[in-house]
Amino acid sequence: MSNYKLGLEFAKQQDQNDELSSYRKQFHIPKDNNGNELIYMTGNSLGLQPKITKDYINQELDDWANLGVEGHTEGKHPWLHYHEFLTETMANIVGAKPMEVVVMNSLTANLHFMMVSFYKPTPKRYKILIEADAFPSDKYAVESQLRHHGYDDKEGLILWKARKGEELANYDDLETIFNQHGDEIALVMIGGVNYYTGQFFDLKRIAALGHKHGCMVGFDCAHGAGNVPLNLHDSGADFAVWCSYKYLNSGPGSLSGAFVHERHAHRKDLNRFTGWWSHNKQTRFKMRDEFDQLPGAEGWQLSNPPILSMAAIRASLDVFKAAGFDKLCEKSRKLTGYFEFLLDELNNSDIKIITPRNPDERGCQLSIQVKNADKGLHNKLTKAGIITDWREPDVIRCAPVPLYNSYMDVYGFVERLKTILN
């Protein structure tokens, strides 16, 4: 869609024509001290709470109160199998087969568990490749894995850097890295959508390139899950991890998702950490049996999961299922394109969009780089009732999330920004 127009009436008309507009009413929108709804554009950091979440959690609290331990088998949604209630919808969102997906643990913990299995260094091939501006937790995690295996965490880390004067990573440079160091790289671990620039990487291209050079390939999709069509199965990646509290609206610090490609589903030769929840479900409670590994992504579980967190995830996934992820992605492209159009129309040299212009290379996040940044502009936006997030050294990240943001939100944001800039 390129026929965007300026003015309030256009925004109102788009919201009236939006078949997903009613979903906004299914979320709690934060308000200011006077009861006015804030313009919330930071679902890339913490998604808003669906109104049904409280009911979903209360159901489990009631079952706990009324059934005690019997809630594991007699509850409305028995706790023993609770993670299975999330699998199909989650798999659909990330583009995977149900067998390839499990919800468990927290994000960086899952990243470490995946690296236990898929980072297998040898004296010749031990290096790890990440994007230079990866989310800090990813960098810390891979550095610690290098140290754990006895390697120098600076010498063993290869960074895919943007070119000087540019913000976005370039695939030609990635190919050059592989041509020069491919036989030294054991693991490629890239953020599926870069947290800072919002660049959505071509997962299939990266995975094919890594595999061509004999590397294992994984992705941290924290900023991709629920935001862009990841198509993890078709990407060919060995593994992926993601959190559920950003675009998947499951609440602060909620559980993470993990993907393991089906070609690894029955591999018992892969090193892994294990626990009783990765043991055969039929004999798990016999307690005396030798370990019998579950096939698929479930075979990476360790412990029985926190049900209250999973209830919040189930609530959000039910909203996604009702809305339809393909429709959400379609709205996202239009809404983000409109946001881009209005920002461009400001024609202000103090701000610049550093997120890719190609809609196929981004989700709903636009990163606005601020000239001579001192966080002042971000603070003024906050005072004006706009919730975004600031990332050092000079970027305001803004995400018009299709589930609950409107064209009027985008219009209101840019109008207030215009006033501040002028």
Side-chain angles (χ1 to χ4, degrees):
M1 180 176 176
S2 57
N3 53 338
Y4 299 113
K5 296 177 183 175
L6 297 172
L8 178 64
E9 289 308 312
F10 178 81
K12 285 183 176 177
Q13 191 63 50
Q14 295 308 302
D15 282 333
Q16 287 171 10
N17 295 341
D18 174 20
E19 64 174 313
L20 299 176
S21 63
S22 63
Y23 284 92
R24 177 184 176 88
K25 298 187 184 75
Q26 297 187 27
F27 287 82
H28 292 288
I29 311 292
K31 296 178 180 178
D32 63 19
N33 293 333
N34 298 316
N36 302 308
E37 286 186 351
L38 299 171
I39 296 178
Y40 191 85
M41 297 277 261
T42 187
N44 57 301
S45 189
L46 181 67
L48 292 181
Q49 182 188 132
K51 290 179 179 176
I52 60 172
T53 300
K54 188 176 287 187
D55 292 336
Y56 280 51
I57 293 175
N58 281 341
Q59 176 64 55
E60 305 317 320
L61 290 173
D62 289 345
D63 281 351
W64 179 21
N66 297 324
L67 298 170
V69 71
E70 299 300 327
H72 284 92
T73 53
E74 304 303 321
K76 185 175 181 182
H77 298 95
W79 305 329
L80 197 58
H81 314 293
Y82 205 99
H83 74 274
E84 296 173 17
F85 303 139
L86 315 179
T87 302
E88 190 172 334
T89 305
M90 187 69 86
N92 181 57
I93 288 171
V94 300
K97 297 183 178 183
M99 188 189 208
E100 297 174 316
V101 169
V102 68
V103 174
M104 61 181 189
N105 308 320
S106 54
L107 176 58
T108 306
N110 276 345
L111 178 55
H112 276 296
F113 287 131
M114 292 296 112
M115 287 194 285
V116 165
S117 296
F118 295 103
Y119 175 52
K120 299 182 289 186
T122 66
K124 165 79 172 160
R125 185 189 287 274
Y126 63 90
K127 294 185 178 180
I128 300 177
L129 169 67
I130 63 171
E131 80 266 35
D133 200 16
F135 190 74
S137 193
D138 290 358
K139 185 168 181 282
Y140 304 154
V142 297
E143 285 174 341
S144 71
Q145 286 284 338
L146 283 162
R147 291 193 300 271
H148 175 70
H149 286 279
Y151 299 104
D152 183 276
D153 58 17
K154 299 294 184 282
E155 190 270 338
L157 199 62
I158 296 179
L159 301 178
W160 177 24
K161 298 178 181 177
R163 296 177 179 181
K164 190 169 183 179
E166 298 180 7
E167 288 82 23
L168 304 177
N170 184 298
Y171 292 101
D172 290 341
D173 297 341
L174 183 63
E175 292 194 15
T176 298
I177 289 172
F178 276 112
N179 289 333
Q180 293 176 349
H181 303 285
D183 59 351
E184 301 172 84
I185 298 171
L187 176 66
V188 180
M189 217 303 293
I190 303 291
V193 175
N194 182 268
Y195 85 101
Y196 189 73
T197 64
Q199 181 178 9
F200 175 26
F201 294 113
D202 187 335
L203 308 189
K204 191 169 188 175
R205 181 175 180 178
I206 293 170
L209 197 53
H211 289 152
K212 175 185 167 187
H213 288 272
C215 317
M216 288 291 187
V217 180
F219 296 105
D220 177 353
C221 297
H223 292 268
N227 176 25
V228 292
L230 293 166
N231 299 320
L232 289 178
H233 175 80
D234 290 342
S235 79
D238 295 292
F239 71 88
V241 293
W242 58 93
C243 61
S244 64
Y245 51 78
K246 301 181 192 299
Y247 297 103
L248 295 174
N249 315 310
S250 65
S254 194
L255 290 168
S256 166
F259 160 89
V260 178
H261 199 279
E262 69 173 346
R263 66 176 170 273
H264 302 300
H266 297 278
R267 288 186 61 185
K268 296 192 176 182
D269 61 314
L270 277 174
N271 185 44
R272 70 177 83 197
F273 289 158
T274 54
W276 74 321
W277 230 247
S278 51
H279 180 90
N280 184 336
K281 296 174 191 177
Q282 309 307 316
T283 58
R284 182 183 288 158
F285 288 91
K286 288 188 176 178
M287 304 295 188
R288 301 292 180 271
D289 292 20
E290 289 299 311
F291 180 68
D292 184 6
Q293 179 186 303
L294 280 171
E298 286 184 315
W300 271 266
Q301 296 173 109
L302 275 76
S303 304
N304 55 325
I307 299 301
L308 301 183
S309 179
M310 284 199 163
I313 299 173
R314 190 169 66 84
S316 181
L317 290 181
D318 281 355
V319 178
F320 269 89
K321 189 174 182 179
F325 190 55
D326 290 344
K327 288 182 179 178
L328 287 168
C329 289
E330 183 183 351
K331 177 181 173 181
S332 178
R333 290 170 78 96
K334 293 176 182 175
L335 191 61
T336 307
Y338 176 57
F339 189 25
E340 179 184 49
F341 165 77
L342 292 183
L343 289 170
D344 286 344
E345 287 295 318
L346 291 177
N347 195 25
N348 190 301
S349 60
D350 288 338
I351 61 170
K352 180 175 83 168
I353 299 169
I354 62 171
T355 307
R357 294 287 178 162
N358 181 350
D360 293 334
E361 296 176 12
R362 69 183 186 205
C364 67
Q365 174 184 319
L366 291 184
S367 294
I368 302 172
Q369 192 173 53
V370 183
K371 193 175 180 180
N372 302 320
D374 63 357
K375 205 177 178 182
L377 178 58
H378 174 262
N379 292 339
K380 288 174 183 175
L381 284 170
T382 304
K383 285 180 182 173
I386 296 171
I387 308 301
T388 57
D389 83 8
W390 172 261
R391 283 293 178 263
E392 296 290 349
D394 58 3
V395 159
I396 299 172
R397 301 189 306 170
C398 317
V401 173
L403 258 178
Y404 48 75
N405 282 126
S406 63
Y407 286 84
M408 281 296 293
D409 280 343
V410 170
Y411 175 81
F413 177 107
V414 179
E415 285 298 299
R416 293 182 205 183
L417 176 61
K418 186 194 302 182
T419 300
I420 292 167
L421 290 171
N422 290 339

